[in-house]
Amino acid sequence: MIGPRGMACAGGLLARVGSRSAISRVVRQNSPLRPLPATVTAPAVRCWRAQYSTKPEPPKEVTINSKTYPVDPEWFNVSSTILNLTSRKLHLQKDHPVSITRQIIESVFPSPTYLAYNNLDPVVSTHENFDSLGFPPNHPGRAKTDTYYINGTTLLRTHTSAHEAELFKASKSPGYLISADVYRRDEIDKSHYPVFHQMEGARVWDRNTVPNGDVVSAVYKDLEALPKHDMIIEDPNPPFHPDRNPLQPSHSAEEAEAVGKHLKRSLELMVAEIFKRVKESHARAGIQHGSEPLKVRWVEAYFPFTSPSWELEVWYQDGWLEILGCGVSQQHILRDAGVASQIGWAFGLGLERIAMLLFQIPDIRLFWSRDERFLGQFRGVEGDWGKMRPFVGFSRHPACYKDVSFWLPGHGGGGAGAAGGRGGEGEWHENDLMEVVRDVCGDVVEDVVMMDSFTHPKTGRRSVCYRVNYRSLERTLTNEEANGLHERVKGEMVGRLGVEIR
Ligand code: FA5
Ligand code: MG
């Protein structure tokens, strides 16, 4: 499966911007590192370790959105690349596609039933992000390899659900919406980015205030009042399932079923609204629509804070794209928030994923672009959705992929986790590699894919091979530039992750 190492650029060699100054420009733009020569051999990388490893000394404290937090060097793992993104708030930028998408979704969940919160702080406690929601102590989401920590009890929220407890407690309206930036150490590909935007929604009914204490009738009455839609949606799932998707002990079957139906219809109406906008914008741009029918499906899911739970997926670019997770809220969250008599649902969706559908944006990195060729296409759309048009991509620049094979740190025996997975080989986790790639290369990497993994039969050491796909959205990368970046990635992998390049 592994291609020859050091494979030449697909097209990069033909690129015409290759010059020394182009290389140093990339170096300066993309990282705080000094430039390395374009080609280095593995042993050389190893001796540069001290010189080029840039794992920065953690600061004593960090200030995010004008609040200052003490740093614990044992926990701190937020790179400056990520810290710099905490101020961007794409969901609030006028005419930004993430903000436009937020507003369209808000229109489907109107006030006063749903109050909108768009300015909640991204720094939360481990209690808010995990404990209050019933995440078990050993949940992988808590690991430093998955989450950006400031200290042992303070982190960058990994999802908008971190605010559920406080908003249920405030209980200002029967429903709420949150939009916010969220942070995850995650893989690199076209639909994942370490900072993205979520929208959370919730709706409750109170047994103490609905007529006759009859929640089921109250929910069905509200369901009846919702508009209908004519989308065909695949949903083979039962309202709950004893093993796969259980009913909560304090809910009757009728209650869970009614709440689940209201939840699904509400979210389907959101999707219907998005697709109505897509269709109109295509018509405006003269694009024929309708040859392929819209495909949407519900699948069963699991979240510690809902049961039963589902995800909604949409067919996009030849695959199922997960756009949201949702379910009937765990009763303990409402009880702990002091509103035990309420029952309801919650959902969390990825705004970029929906914006990608809405505007036909092919790569999640584009949302962070400050390039006028990107931003200019949405100007004037906020407040006038009739101006919406599909995104016209820039010409696609050639990809340039490079492989890196290395021995994982630690000597043999690691066995357990697969190389891409959690645990096993001492401190190794794939997300650490992703972080190094982002730190060194910024947004010029399209994806990083594991190509091969094997364990040496005698020593028990594990070797893996990853392919890094270099492709800028904005310009052509030369083979020379990609080589320079790749060598620096390797140097950092040695210095920071303790791997041994093969
Ligand atoms: C959650 O974050 C849950 N908090 C959602 C939820 C809320 C469930 C309330 C139940 C009740 P999940 O990790 O699946 O779930 O993320 C939700 C959505 O965020 C995904 O469906 C996807 O659309 C988007 N998403 C997840 N990871 C990324 C990423 N790295 N980049 C962009 N979008 C992402
Ligand atoms: Mg999910």
Side-chain angles (χ1 to χ4, degrees):
M1 264 167 53
I2 314 176
R5 254 176 285 148
M7 186 181 284
C9 242
L13 289 172
L14 301 173
R16 286 290 150 246
V17 289
S19 69
R20 286 239 156 250
S21 67
I23 296 175
S24 52
R25 195 171 63 237
V26 170
V27 167
R28 261 182 277 113
Q29 276 170 2
N30 291 314
S31 95
L33 305 189
R34 273 171 292 169
L36 289 188
T39 20
V40 277
T41 54
V45 169
R46 242 170 283 143
C47 33
W48 285 338
R49 180 177 174 152
Q51 197 182 351
Y52 288 105
S53 173
T54 53
K55 180 149 198 179
E57 277 298 301
K60 293 256 174 313
E61 50 188 33
V62 288
T63 301
I64 297 173
N65 290 337
S66 46
K67 282 194 204 142
T68 300
Y69 305 88
V71 161
D72 178 347
E74 282 298 305
W75 284 88
F76 188 71
N77 62 352
V78 194
S79 66
S80 52
T81 321
I82 297 296
L83 275 178
N84 289 338
L85 297 180
T86 57
S87 59
R88 291 286 297 274
K89 299 187 189 186
L90 302 183
H91 62 296
L92 301 176
Q93 298 309 314
K94 185 164 165 43
D95 285 329
H96 194 282
V98 171
S99 170
I100 296 165
T101 306
R102 165 183 65 82
Q103 292 175 14
I104 292 176
I105 299 173
E106 282 174 356
S107 76
V108 184
F109 297 95
S111 76
T113 306
Y114 298 91
L115 279 189
Y117 298 82
N118 297 324
N119 267 309
L120 299 170
D121 221 297
V123 182
V124 300
S125 65
T126 43
H127 181 80
E128 291 167 299
N129 202 81
F130 298 122
D131 306 319
S132 72
L133 294 163
F135 279 73
N138 60 351
H139 192 281
R142 293 181 185 254
K144 276 200 280 185
T145 50
D146 285 41
T147 295
Y148 292 107
Y149 281 91
I150 294 168
N151 56 52
T153 53
T154 315
L155 50 85
L156 293 174
R157 73 184 146 218
T158 64
H159 56 172
T160 41
S161 304
H163 303 287
E164 273 195 11
E166 69 185 282
L167 293 186
F168 280 140
K169 190 167 185 184
S171 208
K172 291 218 166 94
S173 52
Y176 62 74
L177 288 177
I178 306 166
S179 71
D181 39 333
V182 302
Y183 298 79
R184 289 185 196 179
R185 298 176 99 236
D186 215 331
E187 60 206 279
I188 299 181
D189 67 24
K190 287 180 186 180
S191 62
H192 290 82
Y193 203 83
V195 186
F196 62 102
H197 296 77
Q198 281 192 339
M199 193 147 189
E200 183 104 355
R203 173 79 162 93
V204 293
W205 291 264
D206 193 327
R207 292 189 170 97
N208 291 343
T209 57
V210 295
N212 311 316
D214 183 354
V215 166
V216 176
S217 301
V219 176
Y220 279 119
K221 188 162 169 261
D222 287 331
L223 179 62
E224 279 306 304
L226 290 177
K228 309 258 182 311
H229 64 74
D230 56 7
M231 282 189 304
I232 299 165
I233 294 178
E234 223 179 276
D235 188 6
N237 312 297
F240 47 84
H241 185 279
D243 311 315
R244 298 191 313 257
N245 218 359
L247 176 68
Q248 295 177 44
S250 59
H251 295 165
S252 73
E254 293 73 22
E255 284 174 335
E257 182 162 359
V259 170
K261 280 187 175 158
H262 189 278
L263 166 64
K264 285 182 173 172
R265 171 82 70 77
S266 303
L267 289 168
E268 288 166 4
L269 286 167
M270 182 276 290
V271 174
E273 174 68 21
I274 295 293
F275 281 97
K276 187 184 103 191
R277 303 275 163 203
V278 171
K279 219 168 161 179
E280 287 171 2
S281 94
H282 279 193
R284 227 169 276 127
I287 299 171
Q288 290 291 338
H289 209 272
S291 52
E292 215 196 325
L294 171 65
K295 283 204 271 185
V296 184
R297 70 175 186 190
W298 284 106
V299 294
E300 286 178 339
Y302 170 79
F303 300 101
F305 35 98
T306 51
S307 195
S309 309
W310 302 276
E311 282 171 346
L312 188 62
E313 298 183 340
V314 173
W315 188 258
Y316 182 64
Q317 290 183 349
D318 303 323
W320 288 106
L321 179 70
E322 177 203 314
I323 57 167
L324 63 86
C326 65
V328 179
S329 291
Q330 281 287 355
Q331 208 56 37
H332 72 82
I333 302 173
L334 293 152
R335 194 184 57 229
D336 297 347
V339 289
S341 58
Q342 298 181 2
I343 171 174
W345 55 246
F347 72 80
L349 59 80
L351 277 173
E352 279 85 349
R353 299 261 176 104
I354 296 190
M356 285 168 95
L357 299 170
L358 187 56
F359 294 101
Q360 315 286 295
I361 294 172
D363 190 309
I364 197 164
R365 290 176 289 167
L366 279 162
F367 292 103
W368 299 91
S369 172
R370 298 182 192 263
D371 192 321
E372 195 45 33
R373 288 175 299 168
F374 177 73
L375 294 173
Q377 296 194 31
F378 311 99
R379 201 139 296 134
V381 172
E382 188 162 324
D384 186 359
W385 298 336
K387 287 207 182 111
M388 200 179 288
R389 282 167 180 276
F391 171 66
V392 181
F394 321 148
S395 59
R396 207 154 181 252
H397 300 285
C400 184
Y401 54 85
K402 311 254 165 223
D403 293 346
V404 53
S405 295
F406 51 98
W407 295 107
L408 299 189
H411 291 276
R422 292 145 215 288
E425 284 78 16
E427 293 293 301
W428 164 255
H429 192 294
E430 179 180 271
N431 283 350
D432 292 333
L433 165 64
M434 304 292 169
E435 192 77 354
V436 165
V437 172
R438 292 193 194 280
D439 282 359
V440 173
C441 308
D443 281 352
V444 303
V445 171
E446 183 171 281
D447 54 36
V448 179
V449 186
M450 188 164 76
M451 302 300 287
D452 192 32
S453 151
F454 82 93
T455 304
H456 192 284
K458 291 223 176 82
T459 61
R461 288 181 86 190
R462 189 188 291 267
S463 162
V464 290
C465 174
Y466 281 85
R467 176 163 291 176
V468 184
N469 186 12
Y470 295 88
R471 188 204 302 265
S472 166
L473 292 164
E474 289 162 0
R475 63 197 177 81
T476 297
L477 285 183
T478 62
N479 192 40
E480 225 178 351
E481 285 175 285
N483 271 338
L485 289 169
H486 198 61
E487 291 309 327
R488 288 184 23 244
V489 165
K490 288 195 215 165
E492 290 295 305
M493 286 170 65
V494 172
R496 288 202 217 172
L497 310 183
V499 307
E500 187 187 328
I501 306 288
R502 298 187 62 206

